[in-house]
Amino acid sequence: MDWREKLFGKVLVKCESAGTQKGQFEFVPTLEGLGDCVEDGDGSVCGIYFSFANISDTSDDFGVRLEEIYKIVQPRLKVVQVVLWAHVGTPEGPVEREAGFRKSLTGKPWFAVPFHDVDTKRRLTQKYSIAVGVPTLVIRGRGVRDALLSDPLGERFPWPAPPLHEVLRGVHLEGDKDSKLYEKLAADTVRVFYFAAHWCPPCRAFSPSLCAALTAVRKRRAKYANTQLILVSSDRSEQSFNRTVQSVSGVGALSVPWSAPEARVALAAALSVAGIPALIITDGAGKVLTSNGRQHLTADPLGYNFPWAQRPVSVLTEQALLKMARHPAVVLFIDDEDSEIEFAESVLTPSAESYYEECSIQYPGFCPYQNSSDDETMDFDYPTSKHSRVKKKSFKHTMFYIGVDGADSADMLREHIGLDDAVPLLTVIDFPKQKLVTMKYGDEITTDSVQNFVDAYLSGNADFKPLKPYSEKC
């Protein structure tokens, strides 16, 4: 599935076309409207403009500035506007909201997500953590509002973030016992940038949870054993700075020193940090894996899905159980060992990727709120791995999970449906239709056998059994 359709769906509104003055917008295929945009490298870039429909145009100076810049940098910039509704206690209903949507878009020289495509709007606002700071513009995953406003002629367009290794070049990150240059960190080390301050009560409340999660992740997963926490303080005095450092010293945190205020400010700008506490996770090359780590850690306090990058297969958490109430899920139950988790990921991922690609839908990730469009039954042709006869059926959006033995979520699920504690055990659990499919215990679980199992389920040829009634305990 093309990255543009993954972001915006298959259809966009063309704001500047015949009939728009009468509120009759033209719809264009996403791939046509954004045909010359590239995801990376040289070429036209796609900017996502988040705005409010019920905010006065005269107060949206950013929108005016964006139009001015747009005319200067065309055709290097294509804009897709996402019109939101500010929750200010107003009583307007759907009719008034659609009228506000049309009014805010009429005559604009770009595209927009359709009014009724609420799911795409919700997914985009969650993907880019759009909670404050609207109106804003996101280019290649990075908020560039301030950069645009400070560059009225677009001379620095598309306002790329400076590489982290440049921002921190020569900066001695201070630890409990010694200091280390950022460039001396191992190339395979995952970096967790924690933006916080002692004067911020939410930071003081979040720090213990962060330390506990990081300790658990390092212990559970060998490939994350060297994960490095890097503190970036927003404290106003050196005394407060030292208190913030002390709050995360138990996990061997390094900190950008008090004596390097320019580096701290530059890091916040480079990683598009708008408020604290903020948790940004990158790989060794500086690629952002997740920009809203705080939200993910709150939903996954033991860090089972760390570093919370989008993925086709995730470890079952209590939050994921909420989604299973609405969607069937392929669940592979395994022992709580690092090697077993690696094994489960390796055998489930090919089938999961194939499924999502064939259905042209988003990875669900582990977050139960990422995409509500999967609530709907979808009609698609699912070709099996053996290229056998294709059956056209309607399926609910299926999830792919790893159930770790001993974890509360996996144990709760087993008890809830009366499933024995054998591992490894491959199942499909369909709560909406109250049925269950289980691979015969003892059969070898491989990439091919998992694919065959998933094919049988999706084609309706599996040996379904009714789920046992809910237990009173659950």
Side-chain angles (χ1 to χ4, degrees):
M1 185 178 185
D2 187 88
W3 65 273
R4 289 157 290 195
E5 290 186 339
K6 282 185 178 180
L7 275 178
F8 305 114
K10 295 184 178 297
V11 176
L12 293 173
V13 167
K14 187 176 182 181
C15 305
E16 192 175 49
S17 57
T20 55
Q21 296 300 327
K22 299 180 180 179
Q24 298 174 347
F25 289 107
E26 178 184 347
F27 292 90
V28 298
T30 300
L31 294 184
E32 177 184 319
L34 306 179
D36 53 353
C37 289
V38 295
E39 191 170 13
D40 295 297
D42 296 330
S44 296
V45 299
C46 180
I48 309 175
Y49 170 34
F50 294 90
S51 68
F52 284 131
N54 58 328
I55 298 297
S56 170
D57 290 342
T58 59
S59 66
D60 184 10
D61 178 63
F62 179 78
V64 175
R65 298 284 293 277
L66 174 57
E67 281 199 62
E68 294 172 352
I69 290 286
Y70 181 83
K71 294 174 182 177
I72 293 172
V73 301
Q74 254 190 322
R76 293 179 291 157
L77 173 65
K78 292 292 182 68
V79 172
V80 176
Q81 188 166 348
V82 180
V83 180
L84 308 175
W85 193 266
H87 295 287
V88 292
T90 53
E92 287 87 347
V95 174
E96 291 79 9
R97 293 191 178 193
E98 186 167 5
F101 168 86
R102 295 180 181 279
K103 179 181 177 182
S104 64
L105 293 179
T106 298
K108 299 296 183 184
W110 46 61
F111 303 95
V113 174
F115 172 76
H116 294 288
D117 194 355
V118 178
D119 297 327
T120 295
K121 296 179 185 179
R122 182 183 293 115
R123 176 163 44 78
L124 288 170
T125 56
Q126 291 164 357
K127 179 179 179 66
Y128 298 112
S129 303
I130 305 298
V132 295
V134 175
T136 191
L137 181 71
V138 173
I139 292 180
R140 291 179 173 173
R142 179 174 181 263
V144 297
R145 173 192 169 93
D146 293 341
L148 182 149
L149 292 175
S150 64
D151 181 24
L153 298 180
E155 295 173 343
R156 297 188 296 276
F157 173 83
W159 310 289
L164 295 182
H165 69 270
E166 289 186 9
V167 174
L168 291 172
R169 178 173 289 133
V171 175
H172 286 268
L173 302 176
E174 296 177 341
D176 217 14
K177 299 179 180 179
D178 55 10
S179 64
K180 181 181 293 187
L181 287 169
Y182 179 79
E183 51 263 37
K184 294 298 183 181
L185 294 176
D188 61 348
T189 296
V190 173
R191 297 101 196 271
V192 180
F193 290 90
Y194 178 37
F195 293 81
H198 184 70
W199 53 260
C200 168
C203 297
R204 297 199 299 271
F206 182 70
S207 293
S209 300
L210 170 60
C211 293
L214 189 55
T215 299
V217 167
R218 287 170 172 170
K219 182 179 180 181
R220 184 187 310 114
R221 303 301 303 272
K223 65 182 178 180
Y224 299 131
N226 296 322
T227 296
Q228 181 61 62
L229 180 63
I230 300 174
L231 173 66
V232 187
S233 165
S234 297
D235 285 296
R236 299 161 182 162
S237 70
E238 189 170 5
Q239 183 180 15
S240 293
F241 170 84
N242 291 333
R243 290 177 178 174
T244 306
V245 170
Q246 188 61 35
S247 71
V248 291
S249 61
V251 290
L254 298 174
S255 60
V256 180
W258 174 255
S259 60
E262 298 86 356
R264 297 200 304 272
V265 172
L267 266 178
L271 294 173
S272 301
V273 174
I276 58 172
L279 201 66
I280 315 293
I281 303 173
T282 75
D283 62 15
K287 178 184 178 182
V288 174
L289 301 176
T290 183
S291 59
N292 54 349
R294 179 191 178 193
Q295 174 188 346
H296 289 315
L297 189 145
T298 300
D300 180 24
L302 294 178
Y304 277 111
N305 290 293
F306 180 88
W308 302 298
Q310 193 178 57
R311 67 187 74 188
V313 177
S314 55
V315 175
L316 189 69
T317 64
E318 291 186 24
Q319 291 282 3
L321 292 179
L322 298 176
K323 204 159 193 179
M324 284 186 64
R326 306 193 311 273
H327 311 289
V330 178
V331 184
L332 176 54
F333 293 94
I334 54 153
D335 278 323
D336 185 11
E337 296 179 7
D338 183 42
S339 60
E340 289 296 297
I341 296 176
E342 294 282 350
F343 162 75
E345 289 176 342
S346 70
V347 296
L348 282 178
T349 297
S351 295
E353 288 181 335
S354 173
Y355 168 78
Y356 290 121
E357 184 65 27
E358 293 295 340
C359 299
S360 297
I361 54 178
Q362 294 280 328
Y363 288 169
F366 74 93
C367 176
Y369 311 111
Q370 181 178 350
N371 186 0
S372 63
S373 65
D374 54 16
D375 287 338
E376 302 174 2
T377 299
M378 293 175 293
D379 200 18
F380 62 91
D381 294 326
Y382 185 83
T384 66
S385 57
K386 295 182 178 179
H387 305 289
S388 59
R389 185 179 62 182
V390 174
K391 293 183 66 176
K392 188 166 186 176
K393 295 181 68 67
S394 295
F395 295 106
K396 295 282 281 185
H397 185 157
T398 300
M399 323 298 291
F400 290 78
Y401 291 120
I402 299 169
V404 178
D405 191 41
D408 290 343
S409 54
D411 292 348
M412 187 187 308
L413 180 59
R414 283 180 181 269
E415 181 180 359
H416 188 57
I417 62 177
L419 198 63
D420 64 44
D421 58 1
V423 289
L425 183 64
L426 182 61
T427 66
V428 174
I429 301 168
D430 189 342
F431 280 119
K433 293 186 178 179
Q434 284 292 291
K435 61 184 181 180
L436 169 75
V437 185
T438 304
M439 179 180 279
K440 183 179 179 181
Y441 185 68
D443 285 356
E444 185 179 8
I445 297 178
T446 65
T447 300
D448 289 340
S449 66
V450 169
Q451 183 68 69
N452 291 336
F453 180 79
V454 172
D455 285 346
Y457 158 67
L458 292 174
S459 62
N461 295 323
D463 183 17
F464 295 99
K465 296 180 180 179
L467 281 174
K468 294 183 179 180
Y470 292 175
S471 69
E472 293 182 1
K473 292 182 181 180
C474 298

